[in-house]
Amino acid sequence: MNNIPASEVLIIGAGPAGLMLANILGMYGRSVTVLEARDELIDYPRGVGLDDESLRTIQTVGLVDTVLPHTAPQHIMRLVNGAGKTILINNPQTQEFGWDRKHAFIQPEVDKSLYEGLAQYSNINVHFGHQVEDVIEDESGVTALALVTGADGTQTERRFSAQYLVGCEGGKSPTRKRMGVGFEGDSPSTRWLVVDVDNDPLGTPNVFLGADPKRPYVSIGLPHAVRRWEFMLHDGEDESVVTSKEWVAEMLKDHVPDPHNLSYIRRRVFTHHGRVAGSFRKGRQVIAGDAAHLMPVWMGQGWNSGMRDATNLGWKLTSILTGTAGEDILDTYTSERKDHAKAMVDLSMTFGSVIKLTNPLAVAARDAASAVLNLFPSAKSYFSDMRFKPMPRYTTGVLADPTTKASGTAAARLTSRLIPVLTANNKVSPVGVQFPQPRVNSTLGENLLLDDAIGNWWTVLVWGNDPVDVLPTASIKALEALGAKLVALVPETQREWAEENMSDGVLVLGDHTGRMKKWFDERPTPMIFLRPDRFVAGACLHQNGPATLQAILDSMGRAAEQHRAKSQGSTLSV
């Protein structure tokens, strides 16, 4: 038996969630071992949709330039009925987070980019062909026992130890099973045939969801001249038959001029699942990606939900390992991610039920309802701009309530009776939601995306003021202990003045597009405490800054307080 030197985090599974988590932890300087049972990455297409939130995370780990060549932005989706008439169009135009809302992508190439990105970190090791058979957990850490099969068939057992283990092994996750948590939801009996081909015989871009009662289908144009079709299978249609070239050609005769002359990548039957784990953490073991939640393909959110998991989990593990948060912060991973994952599962299941209707009366009612809705601009925009997609909003976790300053919780609305709040145009709290990513100017460069300017850790954003001038010394010291960056956002017209007059160490950003001025003008929260995952932990008027900061630090656990006290040589009170 071989014992391998211990790492801080052990990740089981080199799928997208595991690879992204390893990149995030590597970026923060943590030591990570990734164990993958397969001998190589999966090389066939699976997910086809990449959203703006995921691309923002890819931007954070510095892999945008290697990923973008495998994507196609502004991937328009059209839902059509059996007669080919468009029922609704989904074509969001916003770039709220710095990128187009929807992209088509080739998953094997993007996953490969995530894997190759790990080469820049000497503290990350990936081992293929390692099948984890058992995990032993105690108070100090975890040990995984992995079997390695040699070319001659002999098996060797290797031991890998770490402080924490994250299971990213997919829907059948052994880690989830070891944790003993439920996997609640449904696995509808409806089967689908997926067909991927090279040298796209159509060439039309974007997505068509065919809500045809005779046989619902999907047709998707993908990057690199790949075309995907999916067809709903009826009861009694045998898998060995429906995956044959002859049967597939029959399915494609109404889609392709010559269905017998295609270059197949794969023909495979699958079943949709809609399930969410009861908890994403137990002790020192955590799950992410499909191990934590499975969802149907309709909204293209399976891959993206795994990215959200990694984005949420990476900075929290880092905070524990650096002593700036207590271990209980891992419980906020479940409280913050589970509800949104379930909302995406529910939406995907509902959308699928609309597409696969076969009852003639139900189909007629659906088509009639969509025709009426399309007459109203607000309803049409609801679908076109993708406002039906639930955006993550955390109400419990690493947060401070914007009104009460309560720690670990945040109401969705601002309820203070102060005049700045009463007169505000927007009383929806920004706490618990992702902060926008506009372009800014600074001494670092012109027209930069916000995240590229502020870095990848905690940030305090203050509109129009020097953060050092509006926060007391104790708060500034606490932020220094946390490693937070102090940032002043000003109109571009004031940037030169601010750079000359604001405190040393304060990064001045010029709002040359006016997007930040508009955002702050509508909200009575000119001070923003921004988490490493770009979610707002606290938002307040300047005089409430110290209390808001303290509530955020309290929500990170007892170890954070001990770390601050050690850093300052005394107990901190802000």
Side-chain angles (χ1 to χ4, degrees), residues 79-81 85-89 211 354 362-376 379-380 383:
L79 179 63
V80 299
N81 63 16
K85 182 179 179 181
T86 298
I87 298 175
L88 65 86
I89 298 175
V354 172
V363 170
R366 176 199 64 200
D367 293 357
S370 66
V372 172
L373 287 175
N374 280 325
L375 296 176
F376 298 94
K380 200 170 184 179
F383 292 104

Side-chain angles (χ1 to χ4, degrees), residues 22 32 42 90 131 169 199 276 293-295 315 331 426 431 444 459 462 507-508 536 552 556:
V32 178
I42 295 176
N90 174 221
Q131 176 68 53
E169 325 101 307
N199 308 319
V276 181
H293 40 71
L294 286 172
M295 61 192 70
W315 75 269
D331 289 332
N426 190 338
V431 176
L444 303 173
T459 305
V462 176
L507 175 65
V508 176
V536 178
I552 294 168
M556 294 178 68

Side-chain angles (χ1 to χ4, degrees), residues 434-490:
Q434 193 169 167
F435 195 72
Q437 184 180 201
R439 290 189 174 271
V440 294
N441 290 337
S442 78
T443 56
L444 303 173
E446 303 290 308
N447 203 40
L448 297 174
L449 285 167
L450 176 68
D451 296 354
D452 292 338
I454 65 176
N456 57 30
W457 197 238
W458 282 87
T459 305
V460 180
L461 299 171
V462 176
W463 175 259
N465 281 85
D466 185 336
V468 175
D469 288 344
V470 295
L471 286 170
T473 301
S475 295
I476 296 299
K477 287 183 177 180
L479 291 167
E480 289 174 352
L482 189 62
K485 181 169 290 185
L486 305 180
V487 177
L489 280 162
V490 299

Side-chain angles (χ1 to χ4, degrees), residues 72-139:
Q74 201 178 352
H75 209 213
I76 302 170
M77 183 273 286
R78 294 178 177 86
L79 179 63
V80 299
N81 63 16
K85 182 179 179 181
T86 298
I87 298 175
L88 65 86
I89 298 175
N90 174 221
N91 181 24
Q93 300 294 310
T94 180
Q95 288 192 341
E96 181 181 5
F97 300 133
W99 304 95
D100 285 318
R101 181 59 58 87
K102 297 176 62 181
H103 301 72
F105 80 122
I106 300 295
Q107 183 178 340
E109 295 297 334
V110 172
D111 288 356
K112 182 181 177 183
S113 293
L114 298 183
Y115 168 64
E116 292 177 345
L118 296 175
Q120 64 187 304
Y121 306 115
S122 61
N123 50 327
I124 308 292
N125 292 292
V126 182
H127 299 277
F128 288 97
H130 282 60
Q131 176 68 53
V132 175
E133 295 293 320
D134 194 16
V135 172
I136 302 168
E137 178 180 344
D138 57 31
E139 293 181 358

Side-chain angles (χ1 to χ4, degrees), residues 222-244:
L222 295 172
H224 305 340
V226 173
R227 167 70 54 173
R228 168 171 294 182
W229 285 279
E230 296 176 17
F231 298 97
M232 193 178 85
L233 299 177
H234 300 310
D235 293 341
E237 293 179 329
D238 186 79
E239 181 172 348
S240 63
V241 174
V242 302
T243 54
S244 68

